Amino acid sequence: MKIGDIERELDQARNDGPLSNIVIQPCPELLMALQRETRKLDPDPAEIARIASSDVAMAAALLRIANSPLYARARPANTVGEAVTMLGMGQAVAILTGFITRRAIPATSPLLAHFWETSTRRSLAMAFIARQLYGMNPEVAQTCGLFMHVGIPVMLQGLRGYAETLTEAMAQEDRSFTDIENTRHRTDHAVIGAIVAKTWHLPPVVAIGVRLHHDFTILSDQAMPAELRCLVAVAALAEHMVADYEGVQSQPEWERYGADCLSCLQIGQAEVDHWVDELHPVFEGVLLG
């Protein structure tokens, strides 16, 4: 499957079949404001800070993450403007995108306990790993990690019977999550998440990365852009790290494809072990309430 085929698949899935009745919220206004500013030829950090400061909780979240162990600054950021300057606009926008997304897509079901904590840990891990690798964009990786499973709460809200599907998929070890979803609903959370990313005007590579994050056949497909292959591999590695931290015992996907992911990224277990040590305090600091 080529990139153009995937984009056509997503457009068709949104307009026809089982997805036509799912309500996907429009892009939140604050996120649209951030996007408008970052698409300018010379975006203004002060405007990013102004948008962040328009919401007290969002400003507090930005400051909390800017002062977290992930960045280990010599001195703390005391204002939103300082946080944007210290983080850089790309990273600040990625963090703010996460806050806005969590607010716009609630995950209140008992089946999704700690959903956003896990998603935030995954996104931060993906950004961290991307910084250690040549040629990867940390902000793209972070946003991709945040949206990777966003289709799950959307499906839970919009598809009848999806709660039972989710319960079964979380318990199964011999069938993949997406296989079970497609059997019951003729779609899966990777497709839904990619459609949300497209609807919210995120970079195309984010939407395609979300769509493919369970498709490990692309790791060896030289026709696929290297950025996408690495995104899928980084997503799987980050998912594995977070699962280990959260005490998830069964990880059949990593057990089957983990070696292929490390090979794609040209890293070994020694690097992974070192990164786990660095990320542990970052994971501990994710308390979203």
Side-chain angles (χ1 to χ4, degrees), residues 172-183:
Q172 282 279 354
E173 295 186 14
D174 57 344
R175 292 179 64 198
S176 76
F177 206 109
T178 51
D179 281 347
I180 295 169
E181 289 176 323
N182 277 291
T183 298

Side-chain angles (χ1 to χ4, degrees), residues 117-129:
E117 283 85 351
T118 298
S119 295
T120 300
R121 290 186 180 113
R122 183 194 314 112
S123 68
L124 292 173
M126 286 187 68
F128 174 88
I129 296 166

Side-chain angles (χ1 to χ4, degrees), residues 226-260:
E227 181 180 24
L228 277 171
R229 286 184 276 124
C230 287
L231 266 180
V232 170
V234 168
L237 175 55
E239 189 88 350
H240 165 63
M241 289 174 161
V242 173
D244 271 357
Y245 172 82
E246 295 182 347
V248 177
Q249 299 300 315
S250 177
Q251 301 177 41
E253 203 165 70
W254 181 256
E255 290 165 9
R256 183 172 180 182
Y257 300 109
D260 294 335

Side-chain angles (χ1 to χ4, degrees), residues 19-96:
L19 304 192
S20 57
N21 293 324
I22 290 182
V23 176
I24 294 179
Q25 298 212 22
C27 184
E29 181 56 41
L30 281 175
L31 184 54
M32 291 176 66
L34 286 171
Q35 291 172 346
R36 283 193 295 269
E37 186 60 32
T38 55
R39 286 171 183 156
K40 293 179 180 178
L41 289 176
D42 187 20
D44 184 0
E47 179 61 16
I48 300 298
R50 188 199 66 76
I51 294 169
S53 298
S54 68
D55 184 290
V56 172
M58 185 163 67
L62 184 67
L63 279 163
R64 183 175 67 249
I65 295 176
N67 292 326
S68 73
L70 181 64
Y71 299 100
R73 304 293 184 183
R75 64 178 185 85
N78 296 309
T79 68
V80 173
E82 287 181 2
V84 172
T85 300
M86 291 166 62
L87 291 166
M89 277 197 298
Q91 184 62 21
V93 169
I95 292 168
L96 295 171

